[in-house]
Amino acid sequence: MPYAHITGWGKCIPPTSISNDEISKIVDTTDEWITSRTGIKSRRVSHVSTAELATVAAKHAIACAGIDAKDIDLVILATCTPSTMVANTASLVQKNIGAVGAAAMDTNAACSGFLYALQAATAQIQAGMIKKAVVIAAERMTWYVNWSRRDSAVLFGDGAGAVVLEAADTPAGLLATKTGCDSTDRDILHIENFGSDLNKYQPIGPSNLLFEGREIFKRAVKGMSEACDDVLAQANLSLDDINVLVPHQANLRIIQAIQHRLKVPDEKVMVNIGQYGNTSAATIAIALCEAVEQGLIKPHSNIMSAAFGAGLTWAASYIKWGERVTPISVSDAQLPPCDKTGLELVAPAVKACKEAEPT
């Protein structure tokens, strides 16, 4: 059975941000309130579509792997903020990167999406169906935000990350994984006013991203920790064998609770939520790239990753890194310039959300 090595990695970070002090001009909050409860100091706001974010991240990953996009067999895009529903957004990314003829599909498991997609692509390589895949996680979460609601307005940001998988004979890549969903309580984290269940012939108004924070905190820590235990058992590893923990970046308190429960020291944990906020499926993909760039991931590192998202989906994965931690080549792909500040980008949405609020 072949393995699916990670041979390329790349990210796309929008150039424009909104700091906590700036967001306090939109909703009743302060930097101290946000930082103490979430660990977030700033979040990025995209001036382009999800497809464009995904395209740039994929091009960087492909260059890093040193392969020709025409040789890619599969493009998977993990997202809950697709540019278009029909046709799927992955097909546009496939076109943009030049992966001629490759299968293309979107997958939506919310914040768990990247690990779900990584599992799906790895399984196809292991089954011998394909040899090369690009797995992308891209989100434009600020598109969903109701800027009149403090609890969600401060949390989310935009961005994308990607990896290239290639078939190989030696053990590396995704070696153990556990995914699942506790759908009995899916209503504690959901978005209203979106999807084919709504009556499109009535005024729709801003989408509302609703969640029960305390309940999600408890379930996220429990679900992600137990999934990690399951994966360690599958791989016949102990916590001491793990070199790096790359958790979903939703809330610093959740990360610290999982870290404490798994007894992982600070120097082994990748944390970047402070500058990006929660980018849903993209958080782990971006964090994985930055863990390599910062030298946290070294050749042959044992990596544990875990996520929890709307659905309520959850996932944990054990990834064995390969030999290489430097790019074979570098892409010049980048987003077009943005001539607006973060506050200017969201100003029309803020105005619409405020006007839609009951008086």
Side-chain angles (χ1 to χ4, degrees):
M1 180 181 70
Y3 297 91
H5 286 203
I6 295 176
T7 60
W9 51 93
K11 65 182 181 181
C12 179
I13 306 300
T16 306
S17 63
I18 299 178
S19 69
N20 287 350
D21 287 333
E22 288 174 321
I23 212 167
S24 68
K25 299 175 182 178
I26 300 174
V27 292
D28 182 18
T29 190
T30 65
D31 173 62
E32 191 279 331
W33 190 93
I34 300 170
T35 303
S36 63
R37 287 163 175 78
T38 69
I40 298 168
K41 300 291 291 185
S42 181
R43 69 285 299 145
R44 299 299 177 100
V45 181
S46 180
H47 62 300
V48 301
S49 69
T50 299
E52 292 177 83
L53 295 171
T55 295
V56 171
K59 286 183 175 180
H60 283 291
I62 291 165
C64 178
I67 65 171
D68 192 319
K70 294 179 180 178
D71 295 329
I72 292 171
D73 303 304
L74 173 65
V75 177
I76 298 185
L77 173 60
T79 185
C80 62
T81 57
S83 297
T84 55
M85 296 295 294
V86 181
N88 66 20
T89 304
S91 61
L92 179 53
V93 177
Q94 184 248 48
K95 176 184 177 182
N96 291 345
I97 65 178
V100 181
M105 68 178 192
D106 296 355
T107 182
N108 179 3
C111 300
S112 306
F114 178 70
L115 295 185
Y116 267 60
L118 191 65
Q119 180 191 55
T122 297
Q124 290 200 40
I125 289 175
Q126 290 176 332
M129 295 178 178
I130 63 172
K131 292 184 178 179
K132 291 182 175 67
V134 58
V135 179
I136 314 153
E139 301 282 20
R140 196 179 178 190
M141 292 300 296
T142 57
W143 186 85
Y144 279 141
V145 167
N146 184 330
W147 295 99
S148 64
R149 299 180 62 93
R150 178 178 67 173
D151 55 355
S152 58
V154 303
L155 296 178
F156 295 97
D158 306 332
V163 295
V164 168
L165 304 183
E166 294 190 63
D169 295 329
T170 55
L174 180 64
L175 299 184
T177 186
K178 180 70 174 179
T179 56
C181 178
D182 180 12
S183 59
T184 56
D185 292 301
R186 66 192 297 273
D187 287 342
I188 69 172
L189 177 56
H190 70 285
I191 292 176
E192 291 184 328
N193 277 5
F194 196 74
S196 61
D197 279 354
L198 61 81
N199 183 349
K200 66 179 180 179
Y201 302 107
Q202 297 293 325
I204 295 173
S207 56
N208 286 329
L209 202 161
L210 305 178
F211 59 95
E212 299 177 22
R214 291 182 180 178
E215 193 63 27
I216 290 169
F217 181 94
K218 291 187 294 184
R219 291 172 185 270
V221 173
K222 181 176 184 292
M224 292 163 68
S225 299
E226 290 179 354
C228 286
D229 291 340
D230 193 305
V231 168
L232 287 169
Q234 284 184 46
N236 195 26
L237 296 172
S238 71
L239 288 170
D240 291 337
D241 295 318
I242 299 302
N243 304 117
V244 186
L245 175 65
V246 184
H248 171 45
Q249 309 285 312
N251 183 300
L252 183 59
R253 288 180 174 181
I254 293 177
I255 295 172
Q256 291 171 336
I258 294 167
Q259 176 186 351
H260 177 75
R261 186 159 175 170
L262 296 177
K263 297 181 175 62
V264 180
D266 290 346
E267 62 270 18
K268 289 186 176 184
V269 185
M270 179 63 206
V271 180
N272 63 4
I273 188 174
Q275 61 264 41
Y276 299 140
N278 182 351
T279 58
S280 188
T283 71
I284 290 176
I286 293 170
L288 195 67
C289 293
E290 296 196 343
V292 180
E293 294 167 357
Q294 295 173 16
L296 189 60
I297 291 177
K298 298 177 172 60
H300 313 297
S301 285
N302 290 325
I303 304 161
M304 179 64 68
S305 189
F308 184 89
L312 300 167
T313 64
W314 44 265
S317 298
Y318 160 53
I319 299 166
K320 180 75 173 181
W321 201 257
E323 178 67 32
R324 186 167 50 82
V325 292
T326 55
I328 291 177
S329 183
V330 177
S331 171
D332 61 0
Q334 58 183 336
L335 297 178
C338 180
D339 60 359
K340 295 182 178 180
T341 67
L343 288 180
E344 288 171 340
L345 281 177
V346 302
V350 171
K351 183 175 183 290
C353 290
K354 299 290 188 183
E355 290 175 349
E357 281 290 287
T359 56

